[in-house]
Amino acid sequence: MKKGVLSIAVIVGAFLSTLSISNAAAPTPGSADDPVVTKSYLEQYVQGLGGSVGTGGGSNGLTESKIKEIIAQEVAKLPTNNGGGGTPSTGQGNAMKVVKLKAGQTILADAGSELIVRNGKTLAVSNDDNGIPDLTAGKDLAAGTVVQNNHLLIFPRDGRGVKPDLKETADVYVMVRGGYVVQNADGSKVPQ
């Protein structure tokens, strides 16, 4: 009986010490490890930038419209990440675009683009021996391999894509996030 009570006491003691150690690791709000941004700190920081915090009435204050203008200028400086020369991102965030492929057309994705085949039978296309990562199946697809519908593909380099199987007569729909180019069988680009 005494061994059981002693065992329980040891277990409870170990639990409580673990609990107090885990709470000790959390920083105290407002300390140097977890600072709180105050209005006075923000005003001091903005003054260091050469302005003052205002509500729009002052001539030298940072107004909402001025802040929006600064943000727009900084966003305009960001790279478009469209090294492959395909269709650039349209600024719709992470939205996927639905693209229709007719028989004989090929969609070539830019590096970093994602693609999902929604219908029809398609084949992987690659300009080298490396494949296309199929994240859903967890494997690489070599050129000429059938691409399963509703599988997420990521293109690590330009020059890889998908095309409808030669036996596929219906239009094929794919969803694309990132840059891409659609080519006809003769190699001419399809305007987007």
Side-chain angles (χ1 to χ4, degrees):
M1 179 77 173
K2 287 186 178 184
K3 282 186 175 182
V5 172
L6 183 61
S7 298
I8 292 175
V10 169
I11 291 172
V12 169
F15 175 73
L16 291 176
S17 65
T18 303
L19 184 61
S20 65
I21 290 171
S22 66
N23 284 339
T28 305
S31 69
D33 294 329
D34 186 19
V36 175
V37 178
T38 62
K39 182 178 181 235
S40 60
Y41 171 80
L42 183 60
E43 287 173 344
Q44 181 183 6
Y45 180 78
V46 170
Q47 285 175 354
L49 295 176
S52 66
V53 178
T55 57
S59 62
N60 66 345
L62 280 177
T63 63
E64 183 178 347
S65 60
K66 180 67 175 171
I67 292 172
K68 286 181 180 179
E69 180 183 331
I70 292 170
I71 291 172
Q73 290 172 353
E74 293 301 317
V75 168
K77 293 178 187 176
L78 295 175
T80 60
N81 193 19
N82 188 25
T87 303
S89 173
T90 59
Q92 298 174 354
N94 289 330
M96 294 192 92
K97 182 176 180 183
V98 177
V99 179
K100 178 171 69 171
L101 295 177
K102 298 182 183 213
Q105 290 183 333
T106 302
I107 184 167
L108 297 174
D110 290 348
S113 295
E114 302 173 5
L115 184 140
I116 300 172
V117 177
R118 294 295 291 149
N119 73 312
K121 185 175 180 184
T122 58
L123 304 174
V125 175
S126 180
N127 60 2
D128 57 24
D129 293 336
N130 295 319
I132 301 168
D134 179 344
L135 298 181
T136 308
K139 63 181 181 179
D140 278 354
L141 303 176
T145 305
V146 173
V147 177
Q148 297 296 314
N149 291 349
N150 299 314
H151 280 221
L152 177 61
L153 308 178
I154 292 186
F155 297 86
R157 293 199 172 117
D158 297 342
R160 300 175 189 175
V162 297
K163 66 179 180 180
D165 187 286
L166 294 176
K167 298 175 188 173
E168 184 68 51
T169 57
D171 291 341
V172 172
Y173 288 89
V174 297
M175 295 169 44
V176 182
R177 178 180 294 136
Y180 65 91
V181 173
V182 177
Q183 292 181 344
N184 290 316
D186 63 2
S188 63
K189 291 183 181 180
V190 176
Q192 296 297 315

mmCIF file with all atom_site columns, all heavy atoms in Angstrom, residues 4-34:
data_model
loop_
_atom_site.group_PDB
_atom_site.id
_atom_site.type_symbol
_atom_site.label_atom_id
_atom_site.label_alt_id
_atom_site.label_comp_id
_atom_site.label_asym_id
_atom_site.label_entity_id
_atom_site.label_seq_id
_atom_site.pdbx_PDB_ins_code
_atom_site.Cartn_x
_atom_site.Cartn_y
_atom_site.Cartn_z
_atom_site.occupancy
_atom_site.B_iso_or_equiv
_atom_site.pdbx_formal_charge
_atom_site.auth_seq_id
_atom_site.auth_comp_id
_atom_site.auth_asym_id
_atom_site.auth_atom_id
_atom_site.pdbx_PDB_model_num
ATOM 1   N N   . GLY A 1 4  ? 2.399  1.973  -3.397  1.00 0.00 ? 4  GLY A N   1
ATOM 2   C CA  . GLY A 1 4  ? 1.459  2.576  -4.348  1.00 0.00 ? 4  GLY A CA  1
ATOM 3   C C   . GLY A 1 4  ? 1.306  4.069  -4.118  1.00 0.00 ? 4  GLY A C   1
ATOM 4   O O   . GLY A 1 4  ? 1.279  4.869  -5.056  1.00 0.00 ? 4  GLY A O   1
ATOM 5   N N   . VAL A 1 5  ? 1.177  4.470  -2.848  1.00 0.00 ? 5  VAL A N   1
ATOM 6   C CA  . VAL A 1 5  ? 1.048  5.886  -2.521  1.00 0.00 ? 5  VAL A CA  1
ATOM 7   C C   . VAL A 1 5  ? 2.335  6.619  -2.873  1.00 0.00 ? 5  VAL A C   1
ATOM 8   O O   . VAL A 1 5  ? 2.315  7.722  -3.415  1.00 0.00 ? 5  VAL A O   1
ATOM 9   C CB  . VAL A 1 5  ? 0.703  6.057  -1.020  1.00 0.00 ? 5  VAL A CB  1
ATOM 10  C CG1 . VAL A 1 5  ? 0.761  7.523  -0.611  1.00 0.00 ? 5  VAL A CG1 1
ATOM 11  C CG2 . VAL A 1 5  ? -0.658 5.477  -0.719  1.00 0.00 ? 5  VAL A CG2 1
ATOM 12  N N   . LEU A 1 6  ? 3.482  5.992  -2.594  1.00 0.00 ? 6  LEU A N   1
ATOM 13  C CA  . LEU A 1 6  ? 4.773  6.600  -2.909  1.00 0.00 ? 6  LEU A CA  1
ATOM 14  C C   . LEU A 1 6  ? 4.937  6.757  -4.429  1.00 0.00 ? 6  LEU A C   1
ATOM 15  O O   . LEU A 1 6  ? 5.407  7.786  -4.906  1.00 0.00 ? 6  LEU A O   1
ATOM 16  C CB  . LEU A 1 6  ? 5.915  5.740  -2.330  1.00 0.00 ? 6  LEU A CB  1
ATOM 17  C CG  . LEU A 1 6  ? 7.320  6.294  -2.525  1.00 0.00 ? 6  LEU A CG  1
ATOM 18  C CD1 . LEU A 1 6  ? 7.478  7.643  -1.843  1.00 0.00 ? 6  LEU A CD1 1
ATOM 19  C CD2 . LEU A 1 6  ? 8.347  5.317  -2.002  1.00 0.00 ? 6  LEU A CD2 1
ATOM 20  N N   . SER A 1 7  ? 4.530  5.753  -5.200  1.00 0.00 ? 7  SER A N   1
ATOM 21  C CA  . SER A 1 7  ? 4.621  5.820  -6.666  1.00 0.00 ? 7  SER A CA  1
ATOM 22  C C   . SER A 1 7  ? 3.764  6.953  -7.215  1.00 0.00 ? 7  SER A C   1
ATOM 23  O O   . SER A 1 7  ? 4.193  7.702  -8.096  1.00 0.00 ? 7  SER A O   1
ATOM 24  C CB  . SER A 1 7  ? 4.180  4.499  -7.297  1.00 0.00 ? 7  SER A CB  1
ATOM 25  O OG  . SER A 1 7  ? 5.026  3.459  -6.900  1.00 0.00 ? 7  SER A OG  1
ATOM 26  N N   . ILE A 1 8  ? 2.559  7.084  -6.690  1.00 0.00 ? 8  ILE A N   1
ATOM 27  C CA  . ILE A 1 8  ? 1.664  8.148  -7.146  1.00 0.00 ? 8  ILE A CA  1
ATOM 28  C C   . ILE A 1 8  ? 2.255  9.506  -6.790  1.00 0.00 ? 8  ILE A C   1
ATOM 29  O O   . ILE A 1 8  ? 2.221  10.445 -7.590  1.00 0.00 ? 8  ILE A O   1
ATOM 30  C CB  . ILE A 1 8  ? 0.249  7.965  -6.550  1.00 0.00 ? 8  ILE A CB  1
ATOM 31  C CG1 . ILE A 1 8  ? -0.400 6.722  -7.159  1.00 0.00 ? 8  ILE A CG1 1
ATOM 32  C CG2 . ILE A 1 8  ? -0.611 9.204  -6.791  1.00 0.00 ? 8  ILE A CG2 1
ATOM 33  C CD1 . ILE A 1 8  ? -1.736 6.361  -6.563  1.00 0.00 ? 8  ILE A CD1 1
ATOM 34  N N   . ALA A 1 9  ? 2.827  9.636  -5.618  1.00 0.00 ? 9  ALA A N   1
ATOM 35  C CA  . ALA A 1 9  ? 3.421  10.905 -5.194  1.00 0.00 ? 9  ALA A CA  1
ATOM 36  C C   . ALA A 1 9  ? 4.595  11.283 -6.100  1.00 0.00 ? 9  ALA A C   1
ATOM 37  O O   . ALA A 1 9  ? 4.765  12.454 -6.464  1.00 0.00 ? 9  ALA A O   1
ATOM 38  C CB  . ALA A 1 9  ? 3.881  10.817 -3.734  1.00 0.00 ? 9  ALA A CB  1
ATOM 39  N N   . VAL A 1 10 ? 5.407  10.308 -6.489  1.00 0.00 ? 10 VAL A N   1
ATOM 40  C CA  . VAL A 1 10 ? 6.543  10.571 -7.376  1.00 0.00 ? 10 VAL A CA  1
ATOM 41  C C   . VAL A 1 10 ? 6.044  11.014 -8.752  1.00 0.00 ? 10 VAL A C   1
ATOM 42  O O   . VAL A 1 10 ? 6.562  11.961 -9.350  1.00 0.00 ? 10 VAL A O   1
ATOM 43  C CB  . VAL A 1 10 ? 7.459  9.330  -7.479  1.00 0.00 ? 10 VAL A CB  1
ATOM 44  C CG1 . VAL A 1 10 ? 8.471  9.496  -8.594  1.00 0.00 ? 10 VAL A CG1 1
ATOM 45  C CG2 . VAL A 1 10 ? 8.151  9.072  -6.153  1.00 0.00 ? 10 VAL A CG2 1
ATOM 46  N N   . ILE A 1 11 ? 5.024  10.352 -9.270  1.00 0.00 ? 11 ILE A N   1
ATOM 47  C CA  . ILE A 1 11 ? 4.477  10.689 -10.582 1.00 0.00 ? 11 ILE A CA  1
ATOM 48  C C   . ILE A 1 11 ? 3.888  12.100 -10.565 1.00 0.00 ? 11 ILE A C   1
ATOM 49  O O   . ILE A 1 11 ? 4.135  12.903 -11.468 1.00 0.00 ? 11 ILE A O   1
ATOM 50  C CB  . ILE A 1 11 ? 3.425  9.649  -11.022 1.00 0.00 ? 11 ILE A CB  1
ATOM 51  C CG1 . ILE A 1 11 ? 4.114  8.319  -11.305 1.00 0.00 ? 11 ILE A CG1 1
ATOM 52  C CG2 . ILE A 1 11 ? 2.658  10.129 -12.241 1.00 0.00 ? 11 ILE A CG2 1
ATOM 53  C CD1 . ILE A 1 11 ? 3.170  7.168  -11.552 1.00 0.00 ? 11 ILE A CD1 1
ATOM 54  N N   . VAL A 1 12 ? 3.114  12.440 -9.521  1.00 0.00 ? 12 VAL A N   1
ATOM 55  C CA  . VAL A 1 12 ? 2.512  13.767 -9.415  1.00 0.00 ? 12 VAL A CA  1
ATOM 56  C C   . VAL A 1 12 ? 3.610  14.827 -9.287  1.00 0.00 ? 12 VAL A C   1
ATOM 57  O O   . VAL A 1 12 ? 3.549  15.889 -9.908  1.00 0.00 ? 12 VAL A O   1
ATOM 58  C CB  . VAL A 1 12 ? 1.514  13.827 -8.231  1.00 0.00 ? 12 VAL A CB  1
ATOM 59  C CG1 . VAL A 1 12 ? 1.094  15.262 -7.944  1.00 0.00 ? 12 VAL A CG1 1
ATOM 60  C CG2 . VAL A 1 12 ? 0.308  12.960 -8.514  1.00 0.00 ? 12 VAL A CG2 1
ATOM 61  N N   . GLY A 1 13 ? 4.639  14.544 -8.506  1.00 0.00 ? 13 GLY A N   1
ATOM 62  C CA  . GLY A 1 13 ? 5.749  15.487 -8.348  1.00 0.00 ? 13 GLY A CA  1
ATOM 63  C C   . GLY A 1 13 ? 6.471  15.729 -9.661  1.00 0.00 ? 13 GLY A C   1
ATOM 64  O O   . GLY A 1 13 ? 6.819  16.861 -9.995  1.00 0.00 ? 13 GLY A O   1
ATOM 65  N N   . ALA A 1 14 ? 6.712  14.671 -10.428 1.00 0.00 ? 14 ALA A N   1
ATOM 66  C CA  . ALA A 1 14 ? 7.378  14.810 -11.728 1.00 0.00 ? 14 ALA A CA  1
ATOM 67  C C   . ALA A 1 14 ? 6.516  15.633 -12.676 1.00 0.00 ? 14 ALA A C   1
ATOM 68  O O   . ALA A 1 14 ? 7.024  16.488 -13.411 1.00 0.00 ? 14 ALA A O   1
ATOM 69  C CB  . ALA A 1 14 ? 7.666  13.438 -12.320 1.00 0.00 ? 14 ALA A CB  1
ATOM 70  N N   . PHE A 1 15 ? 5.206  15.405 -12.648 1.00 0.00 ? 15 PHE A N   1
ATOM 71  C CA  . PHE A 1 15 ? 4.300  16.151 -13.518 1.00 0.00 ? 15 PHE A CA  1
ATOM 72  C C   . PHE A 1 15 ? 4.304  17.637 -13.173 1.00 0.00 ? 15 PHE A C   1
ATOM 73  O O   . PHE A 1 15 ? 4.384  18.496 -14.047 1.00 0.00 ? 15 PHE A O   1
ATOM 74  C CB  . PHE A 1 15 ? 2.875  15.576 -13.409 1.00 0.00 ? 15 PHE A CB  1
ATOM 75  C CG  . PHE A 1 15 ? 1.848  16.361 -14.171 1.00 0.00 ? 15 PHE A CG  1
ATOM 76  C CD1 . PHE A 1 15 ? 1.803  16.303 -15.548 1.00 0.00 ? 15 PHE A CD1 1
ATOM 77  C CD2 . PHE A 1 15 ? 0.941  17.183 -13.516 1.00 0.00 ? 15 PHE A CD2 1
ATOM 78  C CE1 . PHE A 1 15 ? 0.880  17.029 -16.264 1.00 0.00 ? 15 PHE A CE1 1
ATOM 79  C CE2 . PHE A 1 15 ? 0.016  17.918 -14.220 1.00 0.00 ? 15 PHE A CE2 1
ATOM 80  C CZ  . PHE A 1 15 ? -0.020 17.834 -15.603 1.00 0.00 ? 15 PHE A CZ  1
ATOM 81  N N   . LEU A 1 16 ? 4.234  17.950 -11.890 1.00 0.00 ? 16 LEU A N   1
ATOM 82  C CA  . LEU A 1 16 ? 4.211  19.354 -11.476 1.00 0.00 ? 16 LEU A CA  1
ATOM 83  C C   . LEU A 1 16 ? 5.526  20.061 -11.798 1.00 0.00 ? 16 LEU A C   1
ATOM 84  O O   . LEU A 1 16 ? 5.527  21.223 -12.202 1.00 0.00 ? 16 LEU A O   1
ATOM 85  C CB  . LEU A 1 16 ? 3.900  19.453 -9.979  1.00 0.00 ? 16 LEU A CB  1
ATOM 86  C CG  . LEU A 1 16 ? 2.464  19.064 -9.578  1.00 0.00 ? 16 LEU A CG  1
ATOM 87  C CD1 . LEU A 1 16 ? 2.304  19.109 -8.070  1.00 0.00 ? 16 LEU A CD1 1
ATOM 88  C CD2 . LEU A 1 16 ? 1.455  19.973 -10.253 1.00 0.00 ? 16 LEU A CD2 1
ATOM 89  N N   . SER A 1 17 ? 6.641  19.377 -11.638 1.00 0.00 ? 17 SER A N   1
ATOM 90  C CA  . SER A 1 17 ? 7.920  20.016 -11.960 1.00 0.00 ? 17 SER A CA  1
ATOM 91  C C   . SER A 1 17 ? 8.044  20.249 -13.463 1.00 0.00 ? 17 SER A C   1
ATOM 92  O O   . SER A 1 17 ? 8.572  21.267 -13.904 1.00 0.00 ? 17 SER A O   1
ATOM 93  C CB  . SER A 1 17 ? 9.096  19.188 -11.438 1.00 0.00 ? 17 SER A CB  1
ATOM 94  O OG  . SER A 1 17 ? 9.157  17.947 -12.105 1.00 0.00 ? 17 SER A OG  1
ATOM 95  N N   . THR A 1 18 ? 7.545  19.317 -14.273 1.00 0.00 ? 18 THR A N   1
ATOM 96  C CA  . THR A 1 18 ? 7.556  19.493 -15.725 1.00 0.00 ? 18 THR A CA  1
ATOM 97  C C   . THR A 1 18 ? 6.672  20.667 -16.117 1.00 0.00 ? 18 THR A C   1
ATOM 98  O O   . THR A 1 18 ? 7.028  21.471 -16.977 1.00 0.00 ? 18 THR A O   1
ATOM 99  C CB  . THR A 1 18 ? 7.063  18.217 -16.434 1.00 0.00 ? 18 THR A CB  1
ATOM 100 O OG1 . THR A 1 18 ? 7.876  17.132 -16.033 1.00 0.00 ? 18 THR A OG1 1
ATOM 101 C CG2 . THR A 1 18 ? 7.109  18.375 -17.937 1.00 0.00 ? 18 THR A CG2 1
ATOM 102 N N   . LEU A 1 19 ? 5.529  20.783 -15.485 1.00 0.00 ? 19 LEU A N   1
ATOM 103 C CA  . LEU A 1 19 ? 4.605  21.871 -15.769 1.00 0.00 ? 19 LEU A CA  1
ATOM 104 C C   . LEU A 1 19 ? 5.234  23.220 -15.438 1.00 0.00 ? 19 LEU A C   1
ATOM 105 O O   . LEU A 1 19 ? 5.142  24.168 -16.216 1.00 0.00 ? 19 LEU A O   1
ATOM 106 C CB  . LEU A 1 19 ? 3.300  21.677 -14.979 1.00 0.00 ? 19 LEU A CB  1
ATOM 107 C CG  . LEU A 1 19 ? 2.179  22.671 -15.238 1.00 0.00 ? 19 LEU A CG  1
ATOM 108 C CD1 . LEU A 1 19 ? 1.757  22.606 -16.693 1.00 0.00 ? 19 LEU A CD1 1
ATOM 109 C CD2 . LEU A 1 19 ? 1.003  22.380 -14.339 1.00 0.00 ? 19 LEU A CD2 1
ATOM 110 N N   . SER A 1 20 ? 5.909  23.323 -14.310 1.00 0.00 ? 20 SER A N   1
ATOM 111 C CA  . SER A 1 20 ? 6.512  24.603 -13.932 1.00 0.00 ? 20 SER A CA  1
ATOM 112 C C   . SER A 1 20 ? 7.690  24.944 -14.836 1.00 0.00 ? 20 SER A C   1
ATOM 113 O O   . SER A 1 20 ? 7.922  26.108 -15.152 1.00 0.00 ? 20 SER A O   1
ATOM 114 C CB  . SER A 1 20 ? 6.947  24.586 -12.466 1.00 0.00 ? 20 SER A CB  1
ATOM 115 O OG  . SER A 1 20 ? 7.978  23.630 -12.281 1.00 0.00 ? 20 SER A OG  1
ATOM 116 N N   . ILE A 1 21 ? 8.426  23.954 -15.303 1.00 0.00 ? 21 ILE A N   1
ATOM 117 C CA  . ILE A 1 21 ? 9.543  24.199 -16.221 1.00 0.00 ? 21 ILE A CA  1
ATOM 118 C C   . ILE A 1 21 ? 9.022  24.702 -17.554 1.00 0.00 ? 21 ILE A C   1
ATOM 119 O O   . ILE A 1 21 ? 9.563  25.625 -18.138 1.00 0.00 ? 21 ILE A O   1
ATOM 120 C CB  . ILE A 1 21 ? 10.409 22.935 -16.400 1.00 0.00 ? 21 ILE A CB  1
ATOM 121 C CG1 . ILE A 1 21 ? 11.174 22.646 -15.109 1.00 0.00 ? 21 ILE A CG1 1
ATOM 122 C CG2 . ILE A 1 21 ? 11.374 23.086 -17.570 1.00 0.00 ? 21 ILE A CG2 1
ATOM 123 C CD1 . ILE A 1 21 ? 11.888 21.306 -15.105 1.00 0.00 ? 21 ILE A CD1 1
ATOM 124 N N   . SER A 1 22 ? 7.930  24.096 -18.072 1.00 0.00 ? 22 SER A N   1
ATOM 125 C CA  . SER A 1 22 ? 7.396  24.521 -19.360 1.00 0.00 ? 22 SER A CA  1
ATOM 126 C C   . SER A 1 22 ? 6.832  25.931 -19.286 1.00 0.00 ? 22 SER A C   1
ATOM 127 O O   . SER A 1 22 ? 6.913  26.696 -20.233 1.00 0.00 ? 22 SER A O   1
ATOM 128 C CB  . SER A 1 22 ? 6.340  23.535 -19.864 1.00 0.00 ? 22 SER A CB  1
ATOM 129 O OG  . SER A 1 22 ? 5.211  23.566 -19.013 1.00 0.00 ? 22 SER A OG  1
ATOM 130 N N   . ASN A 1 23 ? 6.257  26.322 -18.154 1.00 0.00 ? 23 ASN A N   1
ATOM 131 C CA  . ASN A 1 23 ? 5.754  27.682 -17.995 1.00 0.00 ? 23 ASN A CA  1
ATOM 132 C C   . ASN A 1 23 ? 6.894  28.679 -17.858 1.00 0.00 ? 23 ASN A C   1
ATOM 133 O O   . ASN A 1 23 ? 6.770  29.822 -18.239 1.00 0.00 ? 23 ASN A O   1
ATOM 134 C CB  . ASN A 1 23 ? 4.824  27.783 -16.785 1.00 0.00 ? 23 ASN A CB  1
ATOM 135 C CG  . ASN A 1 23 ? 3.469  27.190 -17.062 1.00 0.00 ? 23 ASN A CG  1
ATOM 136 O OD1 . ASN A 1 23 ? 3.092  27.053 -18.217 1.00 0.00 ? 23 ASN A OD1 1
ATOM 137 N ND2 . ASN A 1 23 ? 2.748  26.826 -16.008 1.00 0.00 ? 23 ASN A ND2 1
ATOM 138 N N   . ALA A 1 24 ? 8.019  28.257 -17.316 1.00 0.00 ? 24 ALA A N   1
ATOM 139 C CA  . ALA A 1 24 ? 9.154  29.149 -17.156 1.00 0.00 ? 24 ALA A CA  1
ATOM 140 C C   . ALA A 1 24 ? 9.762  29.526 -18.503 1.00 0.00 ? 24 ALA A C   1
ATOM 141 O O   . ALA A 1 24 ? 10.371 30.575 -18.642 1.00 0.00 ? 24 ALA A O   1
ATOM 142 C CB  . ALA A 1 24 ? 10.204 28.491 -16.272 1.00 0.00 ? 24 ALA A CB  1
ATOM 143 N N   . ALA A 1 25 ? 9.610  28.679 -19.514 1.00 0.00 ? 25 ALA A N   1
ATOM 144 C CA  . ALA A 1 25 ? 10.188 28.948 -20.825 1.00 0.00 ? 25 ALA A CA  1
ATOM 145 C C   . ALA A 1 25 ? 9.401  30.004 -21.592 1.00 0.00 ? 25 ALA A C   1
ATOM 146 O O   . ALA A 1 25 ? 9.930  30.608 -22.510 1.00 0.00 ? 25 ALA A O   1
ATOM 147 C CB  . ALA A 1 25 ? 10.248 27.656 -21.633 1.00 0.00 ? 25 ALA A CB  1
ATOM 148 N N   . ALA A 1 26 ? 8.150  30.251 -21.233 1.00 0.00 ? 26 ALA A N   1
ATOM 149 C CA  . ALA A 1 26 ? 7.329  31.236 -21.935 1.00 0.00 ? 26 ALA A CA  1
ATOM 150 C C   . ALA A 1 26 ? 7.738  32.635 -21.499 1.00 0.00 ? 26 ALA A C   1
ATOM 151 O O   . ALA A 1 26 ? 7.869  32.901 -20.306 1.00 0.00 ? 26 ALA A O   1
ATOM 152 C CB  . ALA A 1 26 ? 5.855  31.000 -21.630 1.00 0.00 ? 26 ALA A CB  1
ATOM 153 N N   . PRO A 1 27 ? 7.967  33.552 -22.451 1.00 0.00 ? 27 PRO A N   1
ATOM 154 C CA  . PRO A 1 27 ? 8.373  34.905 -22.079 1.00 0.00 ? 27 PRO A CA  1
ATOM 155 C C   . PRO A 1 27 ? 7.226  35.663 -21.436 1.00 0.00 ? 27 PRO A C   1
ATOM 156 O O   . PRO A 1 27 ? 6.052  35.434 -21.727 1.00 0.00 ? 27 PRO A O   1
ATOM 157 C CB  . PRO A 1 27 ? 8.770  35.545 -23.407 1.00 0.00 ? 27 PRO A CB  1
ATOM 158 C CG  . PRO A 1 27 ? 8.035  34.771 -24.435 1.00 0.00 ? 27 PRO A CG  1
ATOM 159 C CD  . PRO A 1 27 ? 7.896  33.381 -23.888 1.00 0.00 ? 27 PRO A CD  1
ATOM 160 N N   . THR A 1 28 ? 7.565  36.577 -20.546 1.00 0.00 ? 28 THR A N   1
ATOM 161 C CA  . THR A 1 28 ? 6.579  37.406 -19.872 1.00 0.00 ? 28 THR A CA  1
ATOM 162 C C   . THR A 1 28 ? 6.149  38.524 -20.814 1.00 0.00 ? 28 THR A C   1
ATOM 163 O O   . THR A 1 28 ? 7.003  39.218 -21.377 1.00 0.00 ? 28 THR A O   1
ATOM 164 C CB  . THR A 1 28 ? 7.187  38.020 -18.595 1.00 0.00 ? 28 THR A CB  1
ATOM 165 O OG1 . THR A 1 28 ? 7.690  36.967 -17.782 1.00 0.00 ? 28 THR A OG1 1
ATOM 166 C CG2 . THR A 1 28 ? 6.169  38.834 -17.831 1.00 0.00 ? 28 THR A CG2 1
ATOM 167 N N   . PRO A 1 29 ? 4.836  38.710 -21.027 1.00 0.00 ? 29 PRO A N   1
ATOM 168 C CA  . PRO A 1 29 ? 4.385  39.778 -21.918 1.00 0.00 ? 29 PRO A CA  1
ATOM 169 C C   . PRO A 1 29 ? 4.900  41.139 -21.451 1.00 0.00 ? 29 PRO A C   1
ATOM 170 O O   . PRO A 1 29 ? 4.854  41.457 -20.270 1.00 0.00 ? 29 PRO A O   1
ATOM 171 C CB  . PRO A 1 29 ? 2.860  39.715 -21.817 1.00 0.00 ? 29 PRO A CB  1
ATOM 172 C CG  . PRO A 1 29 ? 2.577  38.319 -21.381 1.00 0.00 ? 29 PRO A CG  1
ATOM 173 C CD  . PRO A 1 29 ? 3.738  37.917 -20.513 1.00 0.00 ? 29 PRO A CD  1
ATOM 174 N N   . GLY A 1 30 ? 5.432  41.922 -22.379 1.00 0.00 ? 30 GLY A N   1
ATOM 175 C CA  . GLY A 1 30 ? 5.957  43.235 -22.063 1.00 0.00 ? 30 GLY A CA  1
ATOM 176 C C   . GLY A 1 30 ? 7.431  43.246 -21.713 1.00 0.00 ? 30 GLY A C   1
ATOM 177 O O   . GLY A 1 30 ? 8.027  44.299 -21.575 1.00 0.00 ? 30 GLY A O   1
ATOM 178 N N   . SER A 1 31 ? 8.043  42.067 -21.562 1.00 0.00 ? 31 SER A N   1
ATOM 179 C CA  . SER A 1 31 ? 9.469  42.009 -21.237 1.00 0.00 ? 31 SER A CA  1
ATOM 180 C C   . SER A 1 31 ? 10.298 42.215 -22.505 1.00 0.00 ? 31 SER A C   1
ATOM 181 O O   . SER A 1 31 ? 9.767  42.333 -23.600 1.00 0.00 ? 31 SER A O   1
ATOM 182 C CB  . SER A 1 31 ? 9.803  40.656 -20.596 1.00 0.00 ? 31 SER A CB  1
ATOM 183 O OG  . SER A 1 31 ? 9.685  39.631 -21.559 1.00 0.00 ? 31 SER A OG  1
ATOM 184 N N   . ALA A 1 32 ? 11.620 42.220 -22.331 1.00 0.00 ? 32 ALA A N   1
ATOM 185 C CA  . ALA A 1 32 ? 12.511 42.383 -23.478 1.00 0.00 ? 32 ALA A CA  1
ATOM 186 C C   . ALA A 1 32 ? 12.378 41.211 -24.445 1.00 0.00 ? 32 ALA A C   1
ATOM 187 O O   . ALA A 1 32 ? 12.626 41.350 -25.639 1.00 0.00 ? 32 ALA A O   1
ATOM 188 C CB  . ALA A 1 32 ? 13.952 42.519 -23.004 1.00 0.00 ? 32 ALA A CB  1
ATOM 189 N N   . ASP A 1 33 ? 11.998 40.030 -23.935 1.00 0.00 ? 33 ASP A N   1
ATOM 190 C CA  . ASP A 1 33 ? 11.831 38.862 -24.792 1.00 0.00 ? 33 ASP A CA  1
ATOM 191 C C   . ASP A 1 33 ? 10.509 38.874 -25.549 1.00 0.00 ? 33 ASP A C   1
ATOM 192 O O   . ASP A 1 33 ? 10.356 38.184 -26.546 1.00 0.00 ? 33 ASP A O   1
ATOM 193 C CB  . ASP A 1 33 ? 11.922 37.572 -23.962 1.00 0.00 ? 33 ASP A CB  1
ATOM 194 C CG  . ASP A 1 33 ? 13.302 37.365 -23.376 1.00 0.00 ? 33 ASP A CG  1
ATOM 195 O OD1 . ASP A 1 33 ? 14.279 37.802 -24.021 1.00 0.00 ? 33 ASP A OD1 1
ATOM 196 O OD2 . ASP A 1 33 ? 13.406 36.773 -22.289 1.00 0.00 ? 33 ASP A OD2 1
ATOM 197 N N   . ASP A 1 34 ? 9.536  39.630 -25.053 1.00 0.00 ? 34 ASP A N   1
ATOM 198 C CA  . ASP A 1 34 ? 8.226  39.720 -25.694 1.00 0.00 ? 34 ASP A CA  1
ATOM 199 C C   . ASP A 1 34 ? 7.746  41.168 -25.579 1.00 0.00 ? 34 ASP A C   1
ATOM 200 O O   . ASP A 1 34 ? 6.871  41.485 -24.787 1.00 0.00 ? 34 ASP A O   1
ATOM 201 C CB  . ASP A 1 34 ? 7.235  38.765 -25.021 1.00 0.00 ? 34 ASP A CB  1
ATOM 202 C CG  . ASP A 1 34 ? 5.907  38.723 -25.747 1.00 0.00 ? 34 ASP A CG  1
ATOM 203 O OD1 . ASP A 1 34 ? 5.849  39.121 -26.928 1.00 0.00 ? 34 ASP A OD1 1
ATOM 204 O OD2 . ASP A 1 34 ? 4.906  38.295 -25.131 1.00 0.00 ? 34 ASP A OD2 1
#
